[in-house]
Amino acid sequence: MANIKDIARLAGVSVTTVSRVINGHPYVRDDKKAAVLRAMEETNYERNINAVHLIKGKTNLIGVMVPSIKRPYFGLVVEGIAEEALKGNYKLVLIQTNYEEQREQEALMMLKLKQIDALIICSKISDWDIVEEYAAYGPIIAFEDARGRNVSSIFIDHYKGFMEALAYLNGKGHRKVGYCLARKSGTSSKQREAAYRDFLKSSGEPFDPDCAFYDAIHFEDGEWIVQRLMTMQDPPTALLVTSDQVAAGILACCNERELDVPSKLAIVSFDNQPIARTLNITTFEIPLTEIGRDLFRKVMTKEFFQQEIPVRLIERLTV
Amino acid sequence: MANIKDIARLAGVSVTTVSRVINGHPYVRDDKKAAVLRAMEETNYERNINAVHLIKGKTNLIGVMVPSIKRPYFGLVVEGIAEEALKGNYKLVLIQTNYEEQREQEALMMLKLKQIDALIICSKISDWDIVEEYAAYGPIIAFEDARGRNVSSIFIDHYKGFMEALAYLNGKGHRKVGYCLARKSGTSSKQREAAYRDFLKSSGEPFDPDCAFYDAIHFEDGEWIVQRLMTMQDPPTALLVTSDQVAAGILACCNERELDVPSKLAIVSFDNQPIARTLNITTFEIPLTEIGRDLFRKVMTKEFFQQEIPVRLIERLTV
DNA sequence: ACTTGACATGAAAAGCATTCCATAAATTAG
DNA sequence: CTAATTTATGGAATGCTTTTCATGTCAAGT
């Protein structure tokens, strides 16, 4: 494969001039420019991008840390990131972590190694201390509440969101509300459980551990949730679900078992994914794709930035 | 940031020796090795990965071309690719093309520029000629029927699959079968339409253009499909759907409108995504994640490889 | 005592494009 | 008509690591 030196020789100019032509810099006579272009054409020349990366110290690659890309939730976020990346001529490096700390560290390491120009954390398990440490090596933004931390973030206040949802259900007459969470240990789950307990305390209801459903992540998780629900002698009359996918699964299984929604079981979920609209699920909108776009835009400014995205209730037919 | 020269100076050895330590090569005295390690520790040294890429001529990055990552179908494939990539210490560069030729070309160009070591095409719109041209620059594998082409591929014979599905429905007594396709112009859609027409010809039924539903891609597309179905005076008694997502959407809308499945409308779909199991959708299994893993493994061998993956009928409750 | 092979180390080349700096020619301004 | 710009061009340094080649020491084998 020809390199810039070959082109220079073929065109009878210096490598500097060739570089000027390639990068559209001024001060190159038209005839020389033409000669360079011809030489590039003839040899089917492409510059060695890795040499460019080396000298420029950047790669136009943005890292995206996601636990699992098959989950529509992350698909929607990454979609937004990808859309925006395209405009800025950036490419995405996808790091699927499966919530393993070691893999997350690998992603962070890529930033230190300058293999990526910035890192977007869609969800993580590692401690903030570790993330902060790596923030010294390049811009990082997280889609997770980082208030009080020195890391940029665009986030949902899940405490608030859950509170609002609980108040809404309470207002609709529901006294016993169950909830489905994804990872028990995640930041957002902790916020949500705190809200749940606080709400219970303020309304004087007792806490029933049977009302908590963990590891509710996929559509298919609706199945065991409904199954468990039907074995309970005193089941909740409403369910707060942290993902439309799960809510959709629950709804589907309820229909199958002729457990009427919302009269027997009300469902409120989060995200407002397309499936929620189709199935008329009452949900709190979290504009995932839009957030993805924002994450990209903001991380590219390289400036510290934190912003809360408010959730918005969309009333449909499951309450 | 310290570089290898600094380390060499600090440790009182040559850069060659430092390189040996870094890469675990033999013939370094223990005391020197220790000195190098100490120097690296002290300066928090990390080698410049772009320099490594330049000299090695490879990046340990694999390109993945997908039209849209938010579609669970591609999420599942990429999941498999990512799993396997992890094992080989490769990272994925995601190129979301939205079926725009220009973006596809960008992905191919990355291969030429040696920014990626190999390219996996999950779906494409560009002509094979173009792909073949770029195959000269590095390993490419496609998840699309490339028989007769000089490009590696792991594929489904959609003609066969559709034929099998039609025969199955015919055997169940369905004489008028509709079908939902994603992109009208895609290779797989062409194969499927060919099968459909051939089947009709052999069974002597006339072709009703109203039975064809195009751009059926997402769960939510089920809505308009059912709507249209209900306006037809002579609707098909069965529907062949090329994605479980769409089938699930159709099923959900049928339930809502009390159109009984399967007695009023039978549904057969493809993929056997998790949602199909939960909703008891009769479907032809296409092991997407497993195929993702295979795509990665095979493209890494850098050898020409073509393999058909047979589909497998999974009978459930929608027929 | 002499050859051979294993062990150890470093100088320098290779991989390639960008950019700073110096120089020269051609214009424009005054 | 000189001084100051603008235009044009190339040499060399820079970014950093890996690998080849050359050289040297030391122990084992004959």
Side-chain angles (χ1 to χ4, degrees), chain A residues 264-285:
Chain A
K264 292 281 178 239
L265 180 73
I267 300 173
V268 172
S269 79
F270 285 86
D271 296 353
N272 193 28
Q273 291 180 29
I275 200 172
R277 207 190 47 72
T278 306
L279 297 182
N280 280 309
I281 296 171
T282 293
T283 189
F284 281 86
E285 180 175 63

Side-chain angles (χ1 to χ4, degrees), chain B residues 3-4 19 45 47-48 55:
Chain B
N3 62 27
I4 198 172
S19 179
Y45 170 79
R47 63 201 179 142
N48 184 319
I55 198 149

Side-chain angles (χ1 to χ4, degrees), chain A residues 3-4 19 23 45 47-48 55:
Chain A
N3 62 28
I4 198 172
S19 179
N23 296 287
Y45 170 79
R47 65 201 179 143
N48 184 319
I55 198 148

